[in-house]
């Protein structure tokens, strides 16, 4: 309860007591809460635990020192939460209450101090501070960390730094600044592949997989880079040229054909490299001839030099290929290898009529490149004594009357280059319905036209003609009246003009047998919409208005009326008369003015 409220209650009770005591002597002082202190002296006579007013300070942590400014407080013998003395520098910490100057921070108690001197809030001891400065503490919140560490720039981010180091406090869970690492010694700060120097014993400078003995160290990554090794690979005879690896044999080649002769010499050269007059192959079978250097086997040769070979085996000193007149394949295209004029074997047949096709049994000759005169390689001449006929040709169609229309007929006959006229291997102009008559070749469907109107009727008849339907027949069989030449087709009627005013009215649909058009008064399509087909003077539906003042403009209501070209007397097609009882008034001036204003907007 607030102290002022308690004091007010005490004064109220004191006043009541004085009033009550004025009427009778001998009554003692009032003590409402029974704490042994009269109401006029009790600062809260409604609470027996407090009775005296003191000037003190709020003491939240109970360390005997209060905080803030002093105030009057009602207390008893056991009242807590207040103190006579103020100035508590840590109101919520009972272990600290006084300010001590000239101290050095040591919050983690590791003996290393932060920047000072400072004024510290302490208690009976100097916990968290030292009286004298010690080694600097880079993290006064962790007793395990005090001294600064070094971090180096890692520009290539390979985990190893180099260059100017910075001081860094290694608190737990704290990483070095971005771009810095705790390991130094990067031998290639700008290359993520290399960061440490590794020893090597062999060097492959030209990268050919062959090395020379050479010891040293090189800036590397996890392993030695390419071209460095600690084992001994094959020895390189020239480590500055990747094409030169081991010493190879070379032969002298005086004729320059790529094949040498004699004993070889050792050279440090590449596979395709040689000195002038040397080669990497020996065994030249013709040392003085640059066109020949190796013996090649053959299976055929040309003994008489006519360009045609016959079977023979052996070897001949050659270049890349066998020389002309030799072949590795078995060839037998010379029937007489001792006579240059004869080389080809012919199996031919006698050609008595000279048409290029022979007949009879075959005869064999050793001759030249052309077929022997009077003979042919073919034996299929079907007319050995007729030069115009020599082969059998098949036909599938026949045109006996020569009208170019054919009938299907298969067979074979002796012919020359082509089938003779009247025979073919495919249909010509079409199928012939009469191959004995050149003027009749096409079947047409016809109907009897008994009334001569050009349209027939009845059952159809198939006629073999020149392609046209002859009279008295017709290609159409739809005549609805075969005995009347004026009628031949069915037409539908859906409208009629019975009053002959030029306007039709709908009728039930009906079909009529007629000529080129429907007879009057019938029509297929509507012409207008006749409202009275029995009266030629009326043919249209129109809305009209009663015109009682005969000024030419009527008034509502309107009615639908069947009219002719003119409007009935006393009626008008216009219905906006503002006063149909006055012929001088037709329009509503106020409405007209309002409409004019609207249109002007």
């Amino acid at each position: 309860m607030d102290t002022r409220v308690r004091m007010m209650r005490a004064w109220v009770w004191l006043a009541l007591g004085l009033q009550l005591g004025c009427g009778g002597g001998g009554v003692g002082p009032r003590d409402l809460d029974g704490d042994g202190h009269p109401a006029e002296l009790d600062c809260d006579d409604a609470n027996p635990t407090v009775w005296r007013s003191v000037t003190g300070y709020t003491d939240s942590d109970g360390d005997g020192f209060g905080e803030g400014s002093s105030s009057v407080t009602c207390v008893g013998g056991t009242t807590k939460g207040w103190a006579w003395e103020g100035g508590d520098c840590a109101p919520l910490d009972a272990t600290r209450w006084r300010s001590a100057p000239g101290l050095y921070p040591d919050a983690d108690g590791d003996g290393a101090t932060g920047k000072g001197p400072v004024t510290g809030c302490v208690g009976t001891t100097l916990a968290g501070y030292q009286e004298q400065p010690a080694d600097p503490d880079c993290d006064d919140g962790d007793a395990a960390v005090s001294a600064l560490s070094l971090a180096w720039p890692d520009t290539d981010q390979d985990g190893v730094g180099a260059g100017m180091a910075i001081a860094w406090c290694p608190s737990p869970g704290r990483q070095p600044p971005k771009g810095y690492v705790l390991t130094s010694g990067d031998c290639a700060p700008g290359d993520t592949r290399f960061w440490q120097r590794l020893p090597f014993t062999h060097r492959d400078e030209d990268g050919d997989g062959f090395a020379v003995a050479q010891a040293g160290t090189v800036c590397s990554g996890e392993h030695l880079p390419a071209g460095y090794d600690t084992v001994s690979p094959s020895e390189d005879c020239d480590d500055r040229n990747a094409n030169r690896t081991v010493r190879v044999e070379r032969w002298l080649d005086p004729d320059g054909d790529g094949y040498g002769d004699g004993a070889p010499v050792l050279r440090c050269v590449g596979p395709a490299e040689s000195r002038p007059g040397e080669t990497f192959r020996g065994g030249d079978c013709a040392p003085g001839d640059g066109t020949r250097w190796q013996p090649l086997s053959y299976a055929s040769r040309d003994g008489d030099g006519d360009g045609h070979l016959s079977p023979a085996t052996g070897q001949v000193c050659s270049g890349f290929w066998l020389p002309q007149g030799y072949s590795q394949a078995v060839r037998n295209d010379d029937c007489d290898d001792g006579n240059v004029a004869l080389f080809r074997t012919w199996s031919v047949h006698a050609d008595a009529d000279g048409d290029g096709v022979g007949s009879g049994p075959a005869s064999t000759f050793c001759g030249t490149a052309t077929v022997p005169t009077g003979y042919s390689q073919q034996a299929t001449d079907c007319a050995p004594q007729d030069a115009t006929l020599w082969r059998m040709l098949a036909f599938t169609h026949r045109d006996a009357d020569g009208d170019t229309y054919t009938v299907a007929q298969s067979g074979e006959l002796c012919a020359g280059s082509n089938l003779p006229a009247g025979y073919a291997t495919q249909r010509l102009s079409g199928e012939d319905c009469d191959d004995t008559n050149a003027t009749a070749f096409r079947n047409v469907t016809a109907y009897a036209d008994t009334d001569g109107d050009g349209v027939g009727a009845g059952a159809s008849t198939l006629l073999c003609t020149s392609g046209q339907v002859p009279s008295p027949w017709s290609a159409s069989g739809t005549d609805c009246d075969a005995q009347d030449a004026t009628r031949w087709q069915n037409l539908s009627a859906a409208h009629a003009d019975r009053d002959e005013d030029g306007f039709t009215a709908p009728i039930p649909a009906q079909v009529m047998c007629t000529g080129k058009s429907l007879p009057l008064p019938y029509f297929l399509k509507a012409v207008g919409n006749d409202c009275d087909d029995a009266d030629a003077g009326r043919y249209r539906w129109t809305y009209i208005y009663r015109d009682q003042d005969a000024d030419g403009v009527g008034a509502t209501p309107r009615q639908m009326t069947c009219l002719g070209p003119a409007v009935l007397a006393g009626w008008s097609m216009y219905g906006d008369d503002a006063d149909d009882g006055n012929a001088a008034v037709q329009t509503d001036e106020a409405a007209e003015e309002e409409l004019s204003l609207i249109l002007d907007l």
Side-chain angles (χ1 to χ4, degrees), residues 401 403 432-435 437-442 464-466:
D401 55 9
D403 57 6
D432 199 334
C433 56
D434 185 353
D435 200 32
N437 183 355
T439 63
F441 47 80
R442 181 180 294 174
C464 184
T465 72
S466 62

Side-chain angles (χ1 to χ4, degrees), residues 522-583:
Y522 298 100
F523 295 87
L524 173 62
K525 295 182 180 180
V527 180
N529 185 16
D530 200 331
C531 55
D532 187 348
D533 201 31
D535 184 351
R538 299 195 301 162
Y539 52 81
R540 59 172 178 155
W541 287 106
T542 305
Y543 280 111
I544 57 176
Y545 300 84
R546 184 68 175 168
D547 182 13
Q548 299 184 45
D549 56 8
D551 59 0
V553 181
T556 56
R558 66 179 181 176
Q559 72 179 38
M560 178 70 76
T561 305
C562 183
L563 299 176
V567 179
L568 298 175
W571 296 81
S572 173
M573 294 181 65
Y574 307 100
D576 53 354
D577 196 333
D579 187 352
D580 200 33
N582 186 350

Side-chain angles (χ1 to χ4, degrees), residues 184-563:
S184 66
D186 195 336
C187 56
D191 192 336
T192 58
R193 300 172 302 165
F194 307 116
W195 62 85
Q196 62 180 340
R197 298 196 72 83
L198 295 180
F200 64 89
T201 59
H202 289 79
R203 181 78 168 94
D204 179 12
E205 184 176 350
D206 54 12
D208 57 6
F210 294 79
V212 295
Q214 180 181 333
T217 62
V218 64
C219 189
S220 311
E222 193 69 30
H223 307 285
L224 283 169
Y228 297 87
D229 211 333
T230 56
V231 297
S232 177
S234 301
E235 184 177 357
D236 199 335
C237 68
D238 185 349
D239 201 32
R240 293 182 301 276
N241 189 333
N243 290 323
R244 297 176 179 176
T245 55
V246 296
R247 297 183 183 275
V248 295
E249 293 181 331
R250 290 290 185 266
W251 284 263
L252 295 177
D253 182 20
D255 56 11
D257 57 9
Y259 287 80
D261 185 36
V265 294
L266 291 176
R267 303 284 192 202
C268 184
V269 294
E273 182 183 0
S274 65
R275 296 182 179 180
E278 290 186 359
T279 182
F280 60 90
R281 290 172 293 194
D284 194 338
C285 58
D289 186 348
T291 63
R292 298 181 298 138
W293 58 83
Q294 61 181 339
L296 295 180
S297 299
Y298 60 86
S300 304
R301 65 187 295 272
D302 178 16
D304 54 12
D306 58 5
H308 300 274
L309 286 71
S310 60
T313 57
Q315 283 189 332
V316 61
C317 188
S318 310
F320 288 108
W321 301 278
L322 286 167
Q324 187 174 2
Y326 295 87
S327 174
Q328 292 178 326
V330 177
R331 293 175 54 183
N332 189 13
D333 53 4
D334 194 338
C335 55
D336 187 347
D337 202 29
N339 186 344
V340 69
L342 302 176
F343 52 86
R344 178 172 297 180
T345 300
W346 294 98
S347 180
V348 290
H349 305 267
D351 180 17
D353 54 10
D355 56 10
V357 181
S359 62
S363 302
T364 301
F365 299 93
C366 182
T368 62
T370 59
V371 177
T373 303
Y375 291 88
S376 172
Q377 292 180 286
Q378 300 180 50
T380 57
D381 197 336
C382 55
Q385 306 303 320
D386 187 346
T388 63
L389 306 174
W390 62 83
R391 59 176 178 172
M392 297 297 294
L393 292 181
F395 60 91
T396 58
H397 291 77
R398 185 79 170 91
D399 177 22
D401 55 9
D403 57 6
T404 73
Y405 286 80
T406 58
V407 296
Q409 181 180 334
S410 298
E412 191 179 48
L413 75 162
C414 187
S417 299
N418 302 295
L419 285 168
Y423 298 87
T425 57
Q426 59 184 1
R427 181 183 296 176
L428 300 180
S429 298
E431 187 73 22
D432 199 334
C433 56
D434 185 353
D435 200 32
T436 63
N437 183 355
T439 63
F441 47 80
R442 181 180 294 174
N443 282 321
V444 295
T445 301
Y447 301 85
D449 180 16
T450 57
D451 55 5
D453 56 9
V455 181
S460 64
T461 300
L462 199 63
L463 302 178
C464 184
T465 72
S466 62
Q468 302 297 323
V469 177
S471 180
W473 300 87
S474 173
S476 174
T478 59
D479 197 335
C480 55
D481 189 342
Q483 305 305 319
D484 186 349
T486 65
R487 299 190 299 159
W488 62 84
Q489 63 178 341
N490 286 318
L491 295 181
S492 296
H495 302 271
D497 179 17
R498 293 187 175 89
D499 57 7
E500 298 181 359
D501 58 3
F503 297 92
T504 62
I507 62 172
Q510 56 184 293
V511 178
M512 302 178 181
C513 182
T514 183
K516 296 177 65 174
S517 60
L518 286 167
L520 293 175
Y522 298 100
F523 295 87
L524 173 62
K525 295 182 180 180
V527 180
N529 185 16
D530 200 331
C531 55
D532 187 348
D533 201 31
D535 184 351
R538 299 195 301 162
Y539 52 81
R540 59 172 178 155
W541 287 106
T542 305
Y543 280 111
I544 57 176
Y545 300 84
R546 184 68 175 168
D547 182 13
Q548 299 184 45
D549 56 8
D551 59 0
V553 181
T556 56
R558 66 179 181 176
Q559 72 179 38
M560 178 70 76
T561 305
C562 183
L563 299 176

Side-chain angles (χ1 to χ4, degrees), residues 85-226:
E85 187 175 350
D88 193 339
C89 59
L92 299 178
D93 186 352
T95 65
R96 297 183 294 132
W97 59 85
R98 63 189 179 97
S99 297
L103 301 179
Y104 294 86
D106 183 14
D108 54 10
D110 59 1
T113 58
K115 293 181 179 181
V118 298
T119 298
C121 186
V122 297
T124 56
T125 67
L126 298 178
Y129 296 92
Q130 299 286 344
E131 291 183 309
Q132 299 296 327
D135 293 335
D137 196 339
C138 68
D139 187 350
D140 203 26
D142 187 348
V145 179
S146 61
L148 291 168
S149 293
L150 294 179
W152 287 268
D154 182 16
T155 56
D156 55 7
Q157 299 182 4
D158 58 6
V160 182
M164 184 68 69
I166 63 171
W168 169 73
C169 189
S171 300
R174 182 184 178 200
Q175 298 296 323
K178 186 176 181 180
Y180 287 83
V181 294
L182 303 180
T183 304
S184 66
D186 195 336
C187 56
D191 192 336
T192 58
R193 300 172 302 165
F194 307 116
W195 62 85
Q196 62 180 340
R197 298 196 72 83
L198 295 180
F200 64 89
T201 59
H202 289 79
R203 181 78 168 94
D204 179 12
E205 184 176 350
D206 54 12
D208 57 6
F210 294 79
V212 295
Q214 180 181 333
T217 62
V218 64
C219 189
S220 311
E222 193 69 30
H223 307 285
L224 283 169

